[in-house]
Amino acid sequence: METVNAVGRRKAAIARVIVTEGNGVITINHRNLDVYFPSSILQYIVTQPLKTLDAVEKYDIRVNLDGGGYKGQAEALRLAIARALVKINPEDKKALRAEGFMTRDPRVVERKKPGRPKARKRFQFSKR
């Protein structure tokens, strides 16, 4: 197996991953996983697809993460890793889809409309 590339998106975050055979090192923007995501919950989100397939210590993953907040970035990375694992072995797709890792979450921030303070908020109504 050579390198496999994949892209994952969530809200405004974009994760580009390069997966190679290795011993389980995840490098995000030239930093280690536990340095980039100090929260154990976010580390858990990122490694969910690998744990589902028992492949935590099978692949080295290099990541370029951009945009969004830390939660969106973690979920974008989870999608990118799941897509890369399916490129490596298409039979894993059923297991990953059952866990919900193959679905791109379509929810994004609604744009601000002209003549309003926010996307849906109206200015205060005054009868007199």
Side-chain angles (χ1 to χ4, degrees), residues 15 26 38 40 42 52 64:
I26 300 176
S40 59
L42 296 176
T52 303
N64 178 3

Side-chain angles (χ1 to χ4, degrees), residues 53-118:
L53 301 177
D54 294 323
V56 177
E57 304 205 344
K58 232 176 169 180
Y59 304 109
D60 284 346
I61 302 172
R62 280 194 335 231
V63 185
N64 178 3
L65 253 178
D66 188 42
Y70 49 86
K71 178 89 157 101
Q73 286 188 347
E75 293 183 7
L77 180 51
R78 177 175 70 183
L79 176 62
I81 290 171
R83 285 178 172 174
L85 292 172
V86 167
K87 277 187 183 178
I88 292 166
N89 186 5
E91 285 122 50
D92 294 335
K93 187 170 186 173
K94 192 172 182 183
L96 291 171
R97 179 161 300 286
E99 296 290 325
F101 303 145
M102 294 303 298
T103 307
R104 198 299 200 189
D105 194 336
R107 297 175 295 174
V108 291
V109 176
E110 193 173 331
R111 77 175 193 88
K112 182 193 173 297
K113 314 298 187 302
R116 298 212 191 138
K118 286 165 54 175

